[in-house]
Amino acid sequence: MPGKNLSREEAQKRAGLIEVESYRVHLDLASAPDPASATFRSTTTLTFRAATPGADSFADLLAPGMRSVTLNGRTLDPAEVFDGTRVALPDLAAHNVLVVDADCAYSRTGEGLHRFTDPVDGETYLYTHFEPADARRVFANFEQPDLKAPFSFTVTAPAAWDVYANAVHESVQEQGAARVWRFAPTRPISTYLTAVVAGPYHVVRDHYRRELPDGTTLEIPLAATCRRSLAEHFDADEILTVTKQGLDFFHQEFDYPYPFGKYDQCFVPEYNIGAMENPGCVTFREEFVFRSKVTEAAYEGRANVILHEMAHMWFGDLVTMKWWDDLWLKESFADFMGSFGLIGAGTRYRAAWITFANRRKAWAYQQDQYPTTHPITADIRDLEDAKLNFDGITYAKGASVLKQLVAYVGRDAFFEGARRYFQRHAYGNTVLGDLLGALEETSGRDLKSWSASWLETSGVNSLTPQVTCDAEGRITELAVLQDGDTLRPHRVAIGLYDLDGTGALVRTGRVEADVAGARTVVEVPAGRPRPALVLVNDEDLTYCKVRFDEVSLATLRSGLGAMTDPLARALAWSAAWNLTRDALMPARDYLDLVLRFAGQESDIGVLQSLHQQARAALDYYADPAWRAEGGRLLAECALRELRAAEPGSDHQLAWARFLATVAEGAEHLQLLTGLLDGTARIDGLAVDQELRWEFWLALAAAGSATAGEIEGELRRDNTASGKQRAVKCLAALPTPGAKAAAWAAVVDSDELPNALVEAQIAGFAQPGQRELTAGYTDIYFALLEQVWAQRSIEIAMRIVGGFFPRLQTERSTLDATDAWLDAHPHAAPALRRLVLECRDNLARALRAQDRDRG
């Protein structure tokens, strides 16, 4: 796709030629409620300067139809200048006015302008999502982040609708059965940050006020929206409370007033990602509007995302990377600020760093061990590369490294550097050196070597304590061993833990040190008795995999649940999981830890992670010959802990959900059936709609539910969420027909919206159905290049990653994967990257199974 897949070199050349002055975009969306209307009219007036008069260039546009193109008053023939992806711009003047009148397509993939019809009331809703390069699906533009400009949107929409965009609306005028909304010009922003949300959204409004140091008052209108059929579930007060706390915090720390006027937060259907930082009009996936009971971890996760997107208003929107190489300049910071802000803003979510250590870092560790890993500041050749780099490196590893940087330069120097960065580069674009230069000024440290170690290299280090003792058991030397392709400087805390008189495992000593090189000797108090457990990276200051010496590992095996500090315990769980993934701990040993100690875990987020990891250990890492026994043990554990949990508690809900994922035997399936039909009851457990669907999925996958019963549940819950859940359940049925139907619905047609593609794929491959889906392996590899060429990148990525035969953990599957890679050396690099990562997961599973066999 040479025209569609913009390269870095093309973008650099265009940026050297063009300076954009303004965009005026008119979108006619009056046809949106009509499902037969596939397109909408988009008219863009783009004014820009060219450094070299007479030069040629191009604008970007992905549209099925072109009405007209006018450049500097000269009409150009669409057949000659538009190829479906680009608009050729010949013979530019010093000052140029381009007018493009096109028919753009409504989207069902979440890319561009997405259209959704609510099955509850038939209402239609629209929203845009553009990152990294889908604004060109909605209006003609220069689709690269360093060609910023002010945008003025005019939107014609049905009269009953409201319309939201980046800026406030200046006027709304009646026009027959429609209304025309005119929005004020934005400040200079990148194309991927523009946004339009339109439909009969339910809205809750509020206001934020802050006195600024110069004596003026900052006023920010606030709004939170969702579909009308979700209004009864919309806890806008909680959302807006976190929003105000975040605005207080970021104004205090960044000392730069919020730069985009209003602050709308729109919760939208069938959204591909968690949220998007469109300035003044942030969009979130509507799954954050909770229809049923969820745990406190879900509320914390939503609050984290709210603060993550808010941090982007400064890191990413006010100051933006020049090209996607420096994507981390916004995403790493926002990911770090999401957790840092939850604590600093005084929200009720005090376990943010525990969640970060247990969940976000697990994502980073996994991504950083793929053969496709990359430095935090990456080499992004084109837009397809950019799409795949919204990953665990750019987000979670980058955030982890920033946490280490704060420890390295100091909190005050870090935030003072950020303030200078905003002041110098407001509404502009930056590269790595711009930020590091500001931080060097405020910290007095040379960050070039730090950057070379942490930002410009890939891979994760392992840190292992080495304890030497005398004959009386007193420490004579404590050293930290570092392993990895690149040895980095680490500022770490080392916790020394012992059992107290009550049997609790508590910290009795702490050493903070700089670790560098392969072996670092750490000073400890003279004569200090050998502790029961040495925890390297206590307090989670650095980014590393934690290992244990033999004594510490033995203590962990016997007393992990006795650790009283929740962060230390989370780090111990994380270390055990990494040992399992690396085939250093047998999977059944990890599952034994879960069976014995998960019931003692107080942090609900950690507990839910343990449930996910236990299921993964069973499905991928355990010896297949032991898998049935392991499944039985997990199911018995889940039922035991469910009955023991406090009635109505988050822990009770988490164990009920876990039971649904591991239930296989008649006893457990009968209980789920009874909880659904009311013949069984567990005190305090409310079997609400979302939990009902989880039980139905378990029954469907086990062959204990029929298609008719699932369709009956859908009639009970005839909502968008209900439809997705029903599709997943139908795809999970253990019959050849169900698998063939799910495969065909996704692969043989592009009619399904993104949410139902995801549901079909998720239901297709169930752990207990390996033989039923084994025949699709060869079919999968045969269609890869066709899927990549014919489907949008968002849907292609889901098909390639989702349908990979990951449950066929056999050498033959690895051989088939290698054969495809060997036969397709020139396949699209982004496609090869996805397959390589799937291959790595499979090879890791095979190594872990060998380890589990002993």
Side-chain angles (χ1 to χ4, degrees), residues 82-254:
F82 181 57
D83 63 0
T85 65
R86 294 183 177 184
V87 182
L89 305 178
D91 191 22
L92 294 175
H95 185 268
N96 301 273
V97 179
L98 172 68
V99 181
V100 177
D101 192 356
D103 292 313
C104 295
Y106 293 110
S107 168
R108 293 309 314 274
T109 67
E111 301 156 293
L113 181 64
H114 188 84
R115 177 168 62 177
F116 169 87
T117 300
D118 193 334
V120 174
D121 54 19
E123 295 284 5
T124 298
Y125 294 86
L126 305 177
Y127 64 86
T128 59
H129 180 71
F130 293 155
E131 191 176 41
D134 283 319
R136 56 192 171 148
R137 295 181 185 271
V138 176
F139 59 91
N141 60 56
F142 298 123
E143 189 80 285
Q144 55 192 81
D146 58 345
L147 290 178
K148 286 185 167 184
F151 288 80
S152 301
F153 279 93
T154 299
V155 179
T156 302
W161 285 15
D162 287 329
V163 181
Y164 305 84
N166 302 97
V168 297
H169 64 270
E170 293 182 321
S171 68
V172 183
Q173 295 179 325
E174 302 293 330
Q175 189 180 82
R179 289 193 293 175
V180 180
W181 296 68
R182 289 183 172 82
F183 293 87
T186 69
R187 301 301 297 266
I189 58 176
S190 303
T191 53
Y192 78 90
L193 292 168
T194 56
V196 172
V197 176
Y201 284 89
H202 168 74
V203 60
V204 177
R205 299 190 182 278
D206 205 336
H207 204 79
Y208 176 83
R209 178 193 300 264
R210 183 178 181 84
E211 300 298 323
L212 298 177
D214 63 3
T216 61
T217 300
L218 177 67
E219 303 272 359
I220 305 176
L222 307 178
T225 77
C226 70
R227 285 187 290 128
R228 286 180 180 174
S229 62
L230 287 176
E232 64 179 298
H233 307 295
F234 195 38
D235 54 338
D237 288 347
E238 164 68 9
I239 290 166
L240 292 169
T241 294
V242 173
T243 300
K244 293 176 184 178
Q245 290 173 320
L247 287 170
D248 272 340
F249 173 74
F250 288 122
H251 278 111
Q252 175 182 326
E253 296 298 340
F254 293 162

Side-chain angles (χ1 to χ4, degrees), residues 97-421:
V97 179
L98 172 68
V99 181
V100 177
D101 192 356
D103 292 313
C104 295
Y106 293 110
S107 168
R108 293 309 314 274
T109 67
E111 301 156 293
L113 181 64
H114 188 84
R115 177 168 62 177
F116 169 87
T117 300
D118 193 334
V120 174
D121 54 19
E123 295 284 5
T124 298
Y125 294 86
L126 305 177
Y127 64 86
T128 59
H129 180 71
F130 293 155
E131 191 176 41
D134 283 319
R136 56 192 171 148
R137 295 181 185 271
V138 176
F139 59 91
N141 60 56
F142 298 123
E143 189 80 285
Q144 55 192 81
D146 58 345
L147 290 178
K148 286 185 167 184
F151 288 80
S152 301
F153 279 93
T154 299
V155 179
T156 302
W161 285 15
D162 287 329
V163 181
Y164 305 84
N166 302 97
V168 297
H169 64 270
E170 293 182 321
S171 68
V172 183
Q173 295 179 325
E174 302 293 330
Q175 189 180 82
R179 289 193 293 175
V180 180
W181 296 68
R182 289 183 172 82
F183 293 87
T186 69
R187 301 301 297 266
I189 58 176
S190 303
T191 53
Y192 78 90
L193 292 168
T194 56
V196 172
V197 176
Y201 284 89
H202 168 74
V203 60
V204 177
R205 299 190 182 278
D206 205 336
H207 204 79
Y208 176 83
R209 178 193 300 264
R210 183 178 181 84
E211 300 298 323
L212 298 177
D214 63 3
T216 61
T217 300
L218 177 67
E219 303 272 359
I220 305 176
L222 307 178
T225 77
C226 70
R227 285 187 290 128
R228 286 180 180 174
S229 62
L230 287 176
E232 64 179 298
H233 307 295
F234 195 38
D235 54 338
D237 288 347
E238 164 68 9
I239 290 166
L240 292 169
T241 294
V242 173
T243 300
K244 293 176 184 178
Q245 290 173 320
L247 287 170
D248 272 340
F249 173 74
F250 288 122
H251 278 111
Q252 175 182 326
E253 296 298 340
F254 293 162
D255 194 27
Y256 193 107
Y258 170 70
F260 298 109
K262 68 181 178 67
Y263 200 78
D264 299 338
Q265 296 175 101
C266 302
F267 293 77
V268 298
E270 298 183 333
Y271 206 43
N272 284 330
I273 60 173
M276 179 62 203
E277 68 268 19
N278 316 303
C281 189
V282 183
T283 40
F284 296 81
R285 64 186 297 119
E286 70 177 15
E287 284 77 5
F288 286 128
V289 180
F290 303 123
R291 299 196 312 154
S292 298
K293 178 179 171 61
V294 296
T295 68
E296 184 74 355
Y299 287 103
E300 180 197 295
R302 183 180 66 183
N304 185 298
V305 174
I306 289 172
L307 296 189
H308 174 118
E309 304 308 324
M310 189 179 293
H312 273 311
M313 298 300 121
W314 290 267
F315 281 111
D317 295 359
L318 176 66
V319 183
T320 312
M321 71 274 161
K322 283 188 176 180
W323 179 247
W324 301 100
D325 293 346
D326 284 309
L327 176 63
W328 79 279
L329 279 173
K330 70 184 188 76
E331 293 301 348
S332 297
F333 278 85
D335 214 50
F336 170 73
M337 288 295 173
S339 297
F340 192 91
L342 284 179
I343 304 297
T347 73
R348 76 172 198 250
Y349 306 105
R350 313 309 294 170
W353 287 123
I354 298 173
T355 304
F356 182 82
N358 189 256
R359 282 182 174 267
R360 300 302 283 179
K361 280 193 165 182
W363 181 27
Y365 295 143
Q366 176 177 339
Q367 190 79 46
D368 209 9
Q369 294 177 89
Y370 282 141
T372 58
T373 189
H374 58 86
I376 293 171
T377 177
D379 178 23
I380 304 299
R381 297 161 293 186
D382 53 39
L383 292 178
E384 286 190 3
D385 275 359
K387 182 73 173 178
L388 267 65
N389 260 46
F390 289 81
D391 61 14
I393 304 297
T394 302
Y395 283 74
K397 180 180 179 180
S400 303
V401 168
L402 288 178
K403 187 177 183 185
Q404 170 74 177
L405 178 60
V406 172
Y408 184 63
V409 303
R411 184 187 190 282
D412 292 344
F414 178 82
F415 279 102
E416 178 57 29
R419 295 177 198 120
R420 296 187 187 184
Y421 178 71

Side-chain angles (χ1 to χ4, degrees), residues 582-610:
D582 292 345
L584 298 175
M585 175 183 283
R588 69 188 71 191
D589 287 8
Y590 176 79
L591 290 171
D592 181 64
L593 291 174
V594 173
L595 292 169
R596 289 189 293 128
F597 300 128
Q600 301 173 37
E601 180 52 57
S602 61
D603 185 275
I604 188 62
V606 172
L607 177 62
Q608 289 176 287
S609 291
L610 294 178

